[in-house]
C-alpha cells in the first residue's frame, strides 16, 4: 500500500515536471517569431546557416559541392552533416518552428535521460522520487546553447546506457540509445570528451578489477564509429580537403597551453556562455565540500571511490586537450569547458 502511494506520488511529480517543461518552451510556439531567443551564435548565425543550406538544394550534396549563396561558393563541408536531425528540421519546417521543435526535443530527452540515470544508478530509492525529478527538471531547464542539441544535454542518457552495458544489464534500448544520440548531437562539441571519459572508465576496470569488459569497450567503439559516419564531412575536410579553415586566421584562436588551462579553470568556476550550467553559487561549493570530505575519509565506499576517479579522469582530459593545443591541432578557440 505504501509503495503504491509512493508510485502515485512519483507519477504526479513527473506530470508536474513535464507541465513545467512544456510551459518553459510554450512561448516559442505561441509567440513564434516574437519570442525571446538567443542572438549570439544562434539567431545571427546557426539558424541562418540551416536556412541557407535548406534553400541551396545541397543538403545531400557531394563532398566537393558548393553553396552559391555565400562568398560565391562556400564548400558544402562547412555546413552540418545531412545525418543531423536539426538540419532536417530546418528543411521541413520554417526556421522558428524548427527551433521550437528542436528545443522541445532536447529538453524532454535531457529530462528523461537524467531521470532514468538517477533512478537506475544513483538514487533508486522510491522515497527519493522528488529529488530525482527535481534534479532532472533543473538539468533540462539549464540554458545550454540551442544548436548544440544533445551534445551536453544527452550526457545522462548516454551514461545510463553505458553503465547498463558495463553491468551486463543489456537490452536493445541501450544499443538504440547509443545509435540514435549521434543523429542529434555533435561529436566535436561534446561527445568526443564524453567518449574519452568512458574509455578511461573502461581502462580503470581493466587496471583495478583485471576485467576486460569487451562488450563495454565495443559499445564505446560502436558509438564512436556512428559519430565518425555521421560526421564524415568533417573527417573528409580534416584529412583530405585542402580548403583553409577560418579559425586558422583568427589570432584569438591561438592559445598556448597555460592560457588554455586558465580558460578551463575559469569555465569550471563560472561556466561558458555556450554551456551555461548556472552552477557557481550553489552546486560548486557543495561539490568542493564533498570532494574534500571524501578525499580525507579513511574508509571510502565504492561510490566515493568512483567519484574521486571521475575527477582524476577530468584531469586526464585537461592533459589531452593541452597536448592537442600545443601541437596546433586547430582546435576552435580552445575555450572548451573541460570540467563541465
Amino acid at each position: 500500500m505504501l509503495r503504491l502511494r509512493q508510485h502515485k506520488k512519483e507519477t504526479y511529480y513527473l506530470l508536474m515536471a513535464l507541465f513545467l517543461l512544456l510551459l518553459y518552451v510554450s512561448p516559442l510556439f505561441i509567440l513564434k517569431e516574437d519570442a525571446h531567443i538567443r542572438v549570439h551564435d544562434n539567431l545571427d548565425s546557426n539558424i541562418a546557416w540551416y536556412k541557407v543550406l535548406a534553400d541551396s538544394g545541397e543538403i545531400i550534396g557531394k563532398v566537393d559541392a558548393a553553396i552559391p549563396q555565400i562568398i560565391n561558393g562556400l564548400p558544402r563541408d562547412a555546413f552540418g552533416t545531412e545525418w543531423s536531425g536539426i538540419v532536417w528540421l530546418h528543411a521541413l519546417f520554417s526556421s522558428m518552428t524548427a527551433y521550437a521543435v528542436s528545443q522541445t526535443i532536447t529538453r524532454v530527452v535531457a529530462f528523461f535521460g537524467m531521470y532514468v540515470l538517477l533512478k537506475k544508478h544513483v538514487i533508486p530509492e522510491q522515497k527519493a522520487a522528488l529529488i530525482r525529478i527535481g534534479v532532472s527538471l533543473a538539468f533540462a531547464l539549464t540554458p545550454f546553447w540551442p544548436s548544440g542539441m544533445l551534445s551536453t544535454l544527452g550526457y545522462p542518457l548516454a551514461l545510463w546506457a553505458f553503465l547498463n552495458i558495463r553491468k551486463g544489464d543489456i537490452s536493445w534500448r541501450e544499443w538504440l540509445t547509443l545509435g540514435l544520440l549521434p543523429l542529434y548531437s555533435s561529436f566535436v562539441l561534446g561527445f568526443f570528451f564524453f567518449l574519452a571519459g568512458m574509455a578511461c572508465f573502461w581502462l580503470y576496470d581493466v587496471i583495478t578489477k583485471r576485467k576486460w569488459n569487451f562488450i563495454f569497450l565495443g559499445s564505446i567503439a560502436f558509438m564512436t564509429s556512428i559519430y565518425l559516419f555521421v560526421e564524415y564531412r568533417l573527417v573528409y575536410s580534416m584529412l583530405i580537403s585542402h580548403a583553409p579553415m577560418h579559425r586558422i586566421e583568427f589570432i584569438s584562436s591561438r592559445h598556448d597551453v597555460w592560457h588554455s588551462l586558465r580558460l578551463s579553470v575559469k569555465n569550471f568556476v563560472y561556466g561558458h556562455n555556450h554551456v551555461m550550467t548556472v552552477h557557481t553559487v550553489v552546486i560548486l561549493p557543495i561539490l568542493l565540500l564533498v570532494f574534500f570530505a571524501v578525499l580525507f575519509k579513511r574508509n571510502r565506499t565504492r561510490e566515493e571511490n568512483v567519484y574521486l576517479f571521475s575527477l582524476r579522469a577530468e584531469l586526464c582530459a585537461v592533459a589531452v586537450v593541452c597536448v592537442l593545443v600545443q601541437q596546433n591541432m586547430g582546435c576552435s578557440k580552445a575555450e572548451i569547458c573541460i570540467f563541465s
Side-chain angles (χ1 to χ4, degrees):
M1 189 68 180
L2 178 61
R3 182 173 295 182
L4 179 61
R5 191 181 300 116
Q6 290 177 336
H7 178 72
K8 287 183 178 179
K9 273 189 176 180
E10 185 163 8
T11 303
Y12 171 75
Y13 295 149
L14 276 172
L15 292 175
M16 284 298 299
L18 286 175
F19 171 75
L20 292 174
L21 201 57
L22 294 177
L23 187 65
Y24 177 82
V25 298
S26 62
L28 300 176
F29 294 95
I30 297 171
L31 299 177
K32 297 182 179 179
E33 293 186 1
D34 293 326
H36 177 83
I37 66 174
R38 179 189 174 101
V39 175
H40 174 62
D41 278 353
N42 187 49
L43 187 60
D44 67 344
S45 50
N46 291 76
I47 294 178
W49 297 340
Y50 295 133
K51 177 64 175 174
V52 169
L53 179 60
D55 292 345
S56 70
E58 294 289 351
I59 290 182
I60 57 174
K62 298 179 180 179
V63 291
D64 58 350
I67 308 299
Q69 293 99 317
I70 301 179
I71 60 172
N72 296 321
L74 185 67
R76 169 63 184 85
D77 292 345
F79 292 84
T81 173
E82 66 269 29
W83 292 102
S84 175
I86 197 170
V87 169
W88 287 104
L89 283 179
H90 282 268
L92 297 174
F93 303 105
S94 65
S95 295
M96 197 60 215
T97 301
Y99 180 85
V101 172
S102 179
Q103 281 288 286
T104 304
I105 292 172
T106 54
R107 304 294 173 179
V108 171
V109 173
F111 173 79
F112 282 107
M114 181 64 79
Y115 174 73
V116 296
L117 173 65
L118 295 178
K119 188 169 186 178
K120 182 68 180 288
H121 298 285
V122 184
I123 42 176
E125 295 82 6
Q126 191 70 34
K127 62 182 180 181
L130 183 59
I131 297 176
R132 281 196 300 268
I133 295 171
V135 170
S136 301
L137 180 62
F139 176 72
L141 294 179
T142 45
F144 288 103
W145 182 50
S147 292
M149 302 169 284
L150 293 172
S151 301
T152 304
L153 292 171
Y155 280 3
L157 186 59
L159 184 58
W160 165 82
F162 278 123
L163 291 179
N164 285 353
I165 293 173
R166 177 176 175 266
K167 289 176 61 177
D169 186 7
I170 306 171
S171 69
W172 59 271
R173 296 180 185 85
E174 285 76 20
W175 295 106
L176 183 64
T177 297
L178 299 182
L180 290 181
L181 273 175
L183 302 179
Y184 212 76
S185 59
S186 170
F187 183 55
V188 296
L189 294 178
F191 269 91
F192 170 82
F193 303 100
F194 180 88
L195 290 169
M198 287 298 100
C200 291
F201 200 11
W202 175 82
L203 190 60
Y204 170 81
D205 285 343
V206 172
I207 296 173
T208 60
K209 300 180 181 179
R210 300 293 189 271
K211 183 179 179 182
W212 297 78
N213 193 336
F214 289 109
I215 297 180
F216 182 32
L217 179 62
S219 66
I220 300 170
F222 170 72
M223 192 176 194
T224 303
S225 63
I226 296 293
Y227 266 116
L228 293 177
F229 172 77
V230 168
E231 299 285 357
Y232 76 96
R233 293 183 183 275
L234 177 63
V235 175
Y236 173 83
S237 64
M238 289 180 62
L239 301 180
I240 301 175
S241 175
H242 298 291
M245 296 182 181
H246 69 288
R247 293 283 186 189
I248 296 175
E249 302 300 325
F250 288 178
I251 299 299
S252 61
S253 295
R254 302 171 189 173
H255 295 156
D256 58 29
V257 174
W258 293 114
H259 191 178
S260 299
L261 280 174
R262 289 196 301 272
L263 283 175
S264 298
V265 173
K266 175 187 174 184
N267 291 334
F268 175 60
V269 175
Y270 298 107
H272 190 279
N273 78 89
H274 286 154
V275 192
M276 291 294 291
T277 48
V278 199
H279 68 283
T280 307
V281 178
V282 178
I283 298 176
L284 183 58
I286 295 175
L287 176 67
L288 294 176
L289 285 173
V290 172
F291 170 72
F292 286 110
V294 172
L295 183 64
F296 294 106
K297 185 177 179 181
R298 291 186 177 180
N299 298 317
R300 291 193 290 263
T301 64
R302 173 179 168 274
E303 289 77 12
E304 290 167 342
N305 284 324
V306 171
Y307 170 75
L308 291 178
F309 168 76
S310 66
L311 293 179
R312 296 190 190 103
E314 294 285 2
L315 293 177
C316 291
V318 173
V320 170
V321 172
C322 286
V323 170
L324 292 177
V325 173
Q326 192 174 27
Q327 295 298 321
N328 297 317
M329 295 294 289
C331 297
S332 61
K333 273 202 169 181
E335 288 188 13
I336 302 168
C337 190
I338 307 236
F339 295 99
S340 295

